[in-house]
């Protein structure tokens, strides 16, 4: 039973790292990628829908994105959602496609992106610590149900090792993203 608790906690921590990487991929680092628009939600017939489910996203070059909606009536909603986002991008609509030119990052915008990166990192660390707390609580319940105090402590130490490993992984992912953002 304690082994399944530890395995479950480790899997959940891996998912937290995956979520962090997904969030960081939506931060732009000076070049265009369709993943920049992953967090954009468009109100489409009353439901919030990801933009990649409403249109074809392409990058004709390293500085521009082209959004070709499948339903032309959704163009205005897509444009509005991009304008309202925190990406700082300005779409242009030519009637058939929406084009977004990715401007070069200023030093001020780079600093802002690093702050956002750190915020995402902190959220991931909090999620990992919450997973540790939940796993330790389950181990303590087992201690009341019959496992020894020494065994309980050993399992809690193992969970702490997982936690330390994944917090270090968060720091590594953040350092790589910050380096990417600060490249000129």
């Amino acid at each position: 039973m304690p082994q399944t608790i530890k395995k479950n906690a480790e899997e959940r921590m891996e998912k937290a790292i995956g979520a962090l990487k997904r969030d960081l991929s939506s931060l732009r680092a000076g070049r265009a990628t369709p993943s920049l628009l992953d967090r954009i939600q468009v109100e489409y017939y009353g439901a919030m829908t990801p933009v990649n489910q409403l249109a074809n996203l392409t990058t004709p070059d390293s500085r521009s994105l082209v959004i070709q909606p499948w339903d032309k009536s959704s163009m205005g909603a897509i444009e509005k959602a991009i304008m309202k986002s925190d990406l700082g991008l300005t779409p242009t609509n030519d009637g058939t496609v929406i084009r977004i030119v990715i401007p070069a990052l200023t030093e001020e915008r780079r600093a802002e992106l690093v702050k956002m990166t750190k915020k995402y990192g902190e959220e991931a660390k909090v999620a990992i610590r919450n997973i540790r707390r939940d796993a330790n609580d389950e181990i303590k319940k087992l201690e009341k149900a019959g496992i020894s105090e020494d065994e309980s402590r050993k399992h809690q130490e193992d969970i702490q090792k997982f936690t330390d490993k994944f917090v270090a992984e968060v720091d590594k992912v953040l350092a790589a993203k910050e380096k990417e953002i600060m490249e000129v």
Side-chain angles (χ1 to χ4, degrees), residues 76-119:
I78 292 171
E79 220 176 346
K80 191 185 325 178
I82 293 168
M83 296 284 275
K84 285 197 297 187
S85 74
D86 61 352
L87 295 175
L89 300 173
T90 307
T92 56
N93 181 343
D94 70 4
T96 56
V97 296
I98 298 171
R99 296 182 195 285
I100 301 173
V101 176
I102 309 294
L105 291 175
T106 63
E107 194 62 35
E108 182 179 296
R109 182 68 178 147
R110 288 178 196 278
E112 219 175 279
L113 288 172
V114 167
K115 280 184 190 176
M116 287 177 68
T117 301
K118 289 181 180 181
K119 182 184 113 197

Side-chain angles (χ1 to χ4, degrees), residues 25-43:
S25 73
S26 68
L27 292 178
R28 69 184 173 104
R31 61 182 166 272
T33 64
S35 65
L36 286 175
L37 304 176
D38 282 352
R39 292 182 303 143
I40 305 289
Q41 296 282 316
V42 179
E43 187 173 338

